[in-house]
Amino acid sequence: MISFEKAFREVMKHTQEWGNEQVPLLESTGRVLAAPILADRDFPPFDRATRDGIAICSTALEKGKTAFPIVGMQSAGMPQQQIGSPDHCMEVMTGAMVPLNTDTVIMYEKISLEDGIAKITGNPKKGQNIHRKGSDLKKGEVILPGDIRITAAEIGVLATVGQDYVTVKKMPKIGVISTGNELVDISTIPLPHQIRKSNVLSLYAALSRENIRPELIHLKDERTVLQERVSKAIRENDVLLLSGGVSKGKFDFVPEVLEALGVAKTFHRVAQRPGKPFWFGVQEVLGTTVFSFPGNPVSTYANYHIYFVPWLYRSLGLPYPNREVILYEAIANTLPLTRFVQVKTFWKNGSLYAKPIQDGGSGDMASLTRSDGFIRLAPKENAHKKGSMVPYIPK
Amino acid sequence: MISFEKAFREVMKHTQEWGNEQVPLLESTGRVLAAPILADRDFPPFDRATRDGIAICSTALEKGKTAFPIVGMQSAGMPQQQIGSPDHCMEVMTGAMVPLNTDTVIMYEKISLEDGIAKITGNPKKGQNIHRKGSDLKKGEVILPGDIRITAAEIGVLATVGQDYVTVKKMPKIGVISTGNELVDISTIPLPHQIRKSNVLSLYAALSRENIRPELIHLKDERTVLQERVSKAIRENDVLLLSGGVSKGKFDFVPEVLEALGVAKTFHRVAQRPGKPFWFGVQEVLGTTVFSFPGNPVSTYANYHIYFVPWLYRSLGLPYPNREVILYEAIANTLPLTRFVQVKTFWKNGSLYAKPIQDGGSGDMASLTRSDGFIRLAPKENAHKKGSMVPYIPK
């Protein structure tokens, strides 16, 4: 049995890379940008009016001129117009190019209009109300760095620079395998000794948030069935997430089946609660990474968030922030194990507070719906006072 | 022009309801549960062993007995077995039913096994290592409340109670409309006076996070085209999000077109930056709610998060928490407008700090990729010191 810290470090040593692929822009949301994106032109691409009003040449202003005949209209989407004389002006719309021979925009609210003449009432500043060509970014500069998650804001930028297809990091192929003779399908009425499958479906939902659609497999606790089907899954996937079959029970064949299939054990059993029987290894030839979680719902779910999610982020080149929360009540851990305690969090004064929830142990699946994540307590740690900070793993 | 507070209240007065629908369990992630879900049986459904080991009857223990012949094996997924005499024991696996006539489970680590006899080494407590039938929840009790977002944890619970189809709230049908003659398709090489469409694609990505797949429509700034197409969109959608065409420009036809189509204006122009020209109204017969945002990328995006997201949450019956962050540097707002300032946030000591980012004004789309959200500063407010708290709108 190894410590949580050692187990976590070992998992993090075994990251993978899955290469890149091109996807249509609107399907790239939530994916990880593979490489920096460069500006394909200056931003803004032209001197751009930021107000509706008139454009003038500031030299006329400097000469004391306050009334300008309007010689035309420059609207957004219109090729650049021009004024022939610095004594003239042109109407200009927000988003339009600033007309040639003008350098200052005055909004309608600051002029009066009569008989085609614009009279200036205020005291305009040379160059005002113009978003200068290239002032945000020059052509060829990095507009988006690589290794970032694409969200709605990045989609806008990618559209602006014409990326109708985006090069993103490939996501791993993942097989999610549950074991256990007691488990039956959702649509079944279970007999008294049976329960419906739920862990694989929870994992499916959690993985779909990461843009991964795993293959779901359920297996009976039978050595030959397990060996044959897990062997196929190892060949067909980059990662396997197993739930169940890793404890000390007579039908817990998973560790020996995995080892028989060439998955080298990195560790089995971690000094933690929940999830002590966690088994982790890598198939020596194919590199398939195997997270084999205990089958209790809370154990599976906690281990997924504690180990798999940071591993996935690191494999994708994304930062995984260390978070802390403030305890809303005192808590102690007298066990010689690292404990992960389910908490409900809430915001107060710009800070995130956490309050442990009541649960019925690691079999209490419903408790997971009442918590926002887990706090981590070191083995036999001195009691944490109300108001102290502890590491936090959100879910 | 109205204040931000008034505009926000007005928007929140006009929530909608869209009814319910049934979706397959695995497609319900991210949706809102329409009604409470009841436990279809006790949880756990039987007295369930939480350790691998042996099950005994505690009366034998009380009589001082420490060695028990093993008469069989109860594994998970096996109908309930029984022991015939309190002097016997049965092997039992984690997740299995506790055999009839037994009431205590002793893990393998606390016994020695020889010639089919289990000898107890420790001092077991009556009833230990059993997760009692109904101890988490009784049949008929609420296992999930209504009006909650379905995440991976809820998927597990819904599976457990056999909900292969889930009744969720319908999401609104949304049309996203951009206007502007300067806008061209992503796959186009823009002429110097043109830019590629980006706002509608950002909104598409933001809405897809809410499980909404909007219809995307782009229109030229031409009154008749606008009127015809927007009229169709009003009939076919619950909500329209427009971007552009609401300022004071000569081609800003959107407000008059909307009013001509029976959309009653609730307000136009809000004392805020960015997004002052924001227009909001409701079609009087059909009830279509229209959010008409200014076309600058930052304005559209800010207004979407400031007004539309809380409106959507309230319409769906979800809480929308008020959040605050701690300023990492001093900031003042001297304008007579509510300001929304883009910030980058970071965690420190269990608290969320915010630092304003540099941006090139509301046309600077790329700035949105460098921020995590907006802080809200009241008009002409006294300067906020470093370390003080301000309202925060995440994106």
Side-chain angles (χ1 to χ4, degrees):
Chain A
M1 191 149 71
I2 63 172
S3 69
F4 155 72
E5 286 75 14
K6 182 132 202 287
F8 188 82
R9 274 198 309 273
E10 284 295 329
V11 169
M12 289 299 150
K13 271 188 210 161
H14 292 86
T15 53
Q16 294 187 334
E17 288 187 30
W18 305 294
N20 300 332
E21 64 182 334
Q22 287 217 317
V23 298
L25 176 63
L26 285 182
E27 291 170 26
S28 73
T29 311
R31 301 294 295 274
V32 179
L33 194 59
I37 300 290
L38 307 182
D40 67 327
R41 57 204 300 218
D42 285 350
F43 284 94
F46 48 80
D47 285 351
R48 184 178 158 280
T50 64
R51 289 284 184 276
D52 302 314
I54 57 164
I56 57 160
C57 176
S58 61
T59 54
L61 274 183
E62 283 156 16
K63 289 178 188 153
K65 202 168 157 57
T66 58
F68 296 83
I70 299 170
V71 296
M73 153 78 80
Q74 169 88 53
S75 68
M78 198 183 257
Q80 191 180 33
Q81 310 290 300
Q82 59 174 313
I83 58 170
S85 152
D87 291 345
H88 295 160
C89 78
M90 187 172 279
E91 282 188 271
V92 68
M93 299 293 117
T94 302
M97 296 180 90
V98 173
L100 202 63
N101 304 327
T102 70
D103 61 6
T104 300
V105 170
I106 306 170
M107 60 202 286
Y108 283 127
E109 289 86 339
K110 300 278 172 73
I111 59 174
S112 63
L113 288 173
E114 208 173 329
D115 295 335
I117 309 283
K119 283 192 184 144
I120 295 168
T121 51
N123 190 17
K125 246 171 52 191
K126 178 179 172 177
Q128 74 179 18
N129 297 327
I130 295 173
H131 192 185
R132 288 278 165 210
K133 179 173 193 279
S135 62
D136 293 341
L137 216 64
K138 299 272 184 248
K139 179 176 175 173
E141 287 183 336
V142 172
I143 194 163
L144 287 178
D147 290 354
I148 56 163
R149 180 87 74 173
I150 298 170
T151 70
E154 285 77 23
I155 292 286
V157 172
L158 290 165
T160 301
V161 297
Q163 298 265 321
D164 46 358
Y165 279 76
V166 185
T167 305
V168 295
K169 297 198 181 181
K170 270 191 197 162
M171 301 305 290
K173 283 189 69 178
I174 297 189
V176 172
I177 304 178
S178 58
T179 67
N181 293 339
E182 74 278 25
L183 300 179
V184 295
D185 269 338
I186 321 174
S187 50
T188 306
I189 304 291
L191 297 171
H193 58 283
Q194 296 177 326
I195 55 173
R196 296 187 186 95
K197 281 185 274 190
S198 62
N199 285 356
V200 289
L201 300 158
S202 264
L203 289 176
Y204 182 96
L207 289 165
S208 66
R209 201 168 71 177
E210 307 292 347
N211 291 284
I212 296 168
R213 299 269 157 196
E215 180 188 12
L216 299 186
I217 305 164
H218 179 70
L219 301 176
K220 292 281 176 195
D221 295 319
E222 286 165 26
R223 206 184 307 245
T224 50
V225 174
L226 264 175
Q227 183 140 343
E228 195 174 310
R229 196 59 193 82
V230 173
S231 169
K232 184 164 180 281
I234 286 174
R235 292 193 304 275
E236 292 177 348
N237 290 283
D238 301 308
V239 184
L240 296 187
L241 303 182
L242 287 93
S243 170
V246 290
S247 293
K248 294 205 162 168
K250 291 275 150 89
F251 302 95
D252 290 337
F253 301 127
V254 167
E256 64 184 83
V257 163
L258 288 171
E259 287 172 57
L261 293 171
V263 186
K265 179 179 80 176
T266 306
F267 59 80
H268 185 193
R269 299 170 69 78
V270 180
Q272 63 180 14
R273 180 179 294 175
K276 190 156 72 173
F278 175 30
W279 190 103
F280 179 82
V282 179
Q283 214 282 345
E284 294 179 294
V285 179
L286 299 164
T288 314
T289 303
V290 181
F291 294 79
S292 199
F293 303 131
N296 268 323
V298 180
S299 302
T300 295
Y301 202 70
N303 277 321
Y304 171 86
H305 286 283
I306 295 162
Y307 297 97
F308 174 77
V309 174
W311 177 89
L312 178 69
Y313 274 57
R314 183 168 300 184
S315 292
L316 290 168
L318 292 174
Y320 185 82
N322 289 320
R323 294 181 185 84
E324 290 191 315
V325 285
I326 302 172
L327 286 174
Y328 193 68
E329 53 189 58
I331 190 165
N333 177 18
T334 54
L335 299 174
L337 307 167
T338 297
R339 276 188 69 199
F340 296 95
V341 177
Q342 291 197 68
V343 292
K344 184 84 194 159
T345 59
F346 56 95
W347 285 88
K348 201 179 136 188
N349 298 337
S351 302
L352 193 59
Y353 287 79
K355 200 173 163 167
I357 65 156
Q358 294 291 328
D359 71 46
S362 56
D364 184 5
M365 141 116 358
S367 67
L368 291 167
T369 67
R370 300 194 305 270
S371 73
D372 300 314
F374 300 88
I375 55 171
R376 191 177 76 227
L377 304 175
K380 295 200 171 200
E381 209 171 10
N382 284 333
H384 294 275
K385 288 188 188 140
K386 177 176 173 164
S388 57
M389 273 170 304
V390 288
Y392 174 61
I393 299 106
K395 65 179 181 89
Chain B
M1 191 148 73
I2 65 171
S3 68
F4 155 73
E5 285 75 15
K6 183 131 202 285
F8 188 82
R9 274 199 308 274
E10 285 294 329
V11 168
M12 290 299 150
K13 270 187 209 162
H14 292 87
T15 53
Q16 294 187 334
E17 288 187 31
W18 305 294
N20 300 331
E21 64 182 333
Q22 287 216 319
V23 297
L25 176 63
L26 285 181
E27 291 170 27
S28 72
T29 312
R31 302 293 297 271
V32 179
L33 194 59
I37 300 290
L38 307 182
D40 66 329
R41 55 203 303 216
D42 284 350
F43 284 94
F46 46 80
D47 285 351
R48 184 178 158 280
T50 64
R51 290 284 183 275
D52 302 314
I54 57 164
I56 57 158
C57 176
S58 61
T59 55
L61 274 183
E62 283 156 17
K63 287 177 186 151
K65 200 167 160 55
T66 58
F68 296 82
I70 298 171
V71 296
M73 154 78 80
Q74 170 89 53
S75 66
M78 198 184 256
Q80 191 179 32
Q81 310 291 300
Q82 60 175 311
I83 59 171
S85 151
D87 290 345
H88 295 160
C89 77
M90 187 171 279
E91 283 186 273
V92 67
M93 299 296 117
T94 302
M97 294 180 90
V98 173
L100 203 63
N101 303 327
T102 70
D103 61 6
T104 300
V105 170
I106 306 171
M107 60 203 285
Y108 283 127
E109 289 86 340
K110 301 278 172 74
I111 59 174
S112 63
L113 288 174
E114 207 172 331
D115 297 334
I117 310 283
K119 283 193 183 145
I120 296 168
T121 52
N123 191 16
K125 246 170 54 189
K126 177 180 173 176
Q128 73 180 18
N129 298 328
I130 295 173
H131 192 184
R132 289 277 166 211
K133 178 175 194 280
S135 62
D136 293 340
L137 217 65
K138 300 271 184 250
K139 179 177 176 173
E141 285 183 338
V142 172
I143 193 163
L144 287 178
D147 290 353
I148 58 163
R149 179 87 75 174
I150 298 170
T151 71
E154 284 79 22
I155 291 287
V157 172
L158 290 165
T160 302
V161 297
Q163 297 266 321
D164 46 358
Y165 278 78
V166 185
T167 305
V168 295
K169 297 197 181 181
K170 270 191 196 161
M171 301 304 290
K173 284 189 69 179
I174 297 190
V176 172
I177 303 176
S178 59
T179 66
N181 294 339
E182 74 278 25
L183 300 179
V184 295
D185 270 337
I186 321 173
S187 49
T188 306
I189 305 289
L191 297 171
H193 58 284
Q194 297 176 326
I195 55 173
R196 295 187 186 93
K197 282 184 274 189
S198 62
N199 285 356
V200 290
L201 300 159
S202 263
L203 289 176
Y204 182 96
L207 288 165
S208 65
R209 201 168 71 177
E210 307 292 347
N211 291 283
I212 296 168
R213 299 268 156 197
E215 179 188 12
L216 299 186
I217 305 162
H218 179 70
L219 301 175
K220 294 280 176 195
D221 294 320
E222 285 164 28
R223 205 184 307 244
T224 50
V225 174
L226 265 176
Q227 183 140 343
E228 197 175 308
R229 195 60 192 82
V230 173
S231 168
K232 184 163 179 280
I234 286 174
R235 291 193 305 275
E236 292 176 348
N237 290 284
D238 301 307
V239 184
L240 296 187
L241 304 182
L242 287 93
S243 170
V246 290
S247 293
K248 294 205 164 170
K250 290 276 150 88
F251 303 95
D252 290 337
F253 302 127
V254 168
E256 64 184 82
V257 162
L258 288 171
E259 287 172 56
L261 293 171
V263 186
K265 179 178 80 176
T266 307
F267 59 79
H268 185 192
R269 299 170 69 77
V270 181
Q272 64 180 12
R273 179 179 293 176
K276 189 156 73 172
F278 176 31
W279 190 104
F280 179 83
V282 179
Q283 213 282 345
E284 295 179 295
V285 179
L286 300 162
T288 315
T289 303
V290 180
F291 294 79
S292 199
F293 302 132
N296 268 322
V298 180
S299 303
T300 295
Y301 202 71
N303 277 321
Y304 172 86
H305 286 283
I306 296 162
Y307 297 98
F308 174 77
V309 175
W311 177 88
L312 177 69
Y313 274 57
R314 182 168 300 182
S315 292
L316 289 168
L318 291 174
Y320 185 82
N322 289 320
R323 296 182 185 83
E324 290 190 316
V325 285
I326 302 172
L327 286 174
Y328 193 68
E329 55 190 57
I331 190 166
N333 177 19
T334 54
L335 298 174
L337 307 167
T338 297
R339 277 189 67 201
F340 296 95
V341 177
Q342 290 198 68
V343 293
K344 184 83 194 160
T345 59
F346 56 96
W347 285 88
K348 202 179 135 187
N349 298 337
S351 302
L352 193 59
Y353 287 79
K355 200 174 164 167
I357 64 156
Q358 294 291 328
D359 71 45
S362 56
D364 184 6
M365 139 116 357
S367 67
L368 292 167
T369 67
R370 299 194 306 269
S371 73
D372 300 314
F374 301 87
I375 53 171
R376 191 178 75 226
L377 305 174
K380 296 201 170 199
E381 210 171 11
N382 284 332
H384 294 276
K385 288 188 188 139
K386 177 176 174 166
S388 57
M389 273 170 305
V390 288
Y392 174 60
I393 299 107
K395 65 178 180 88

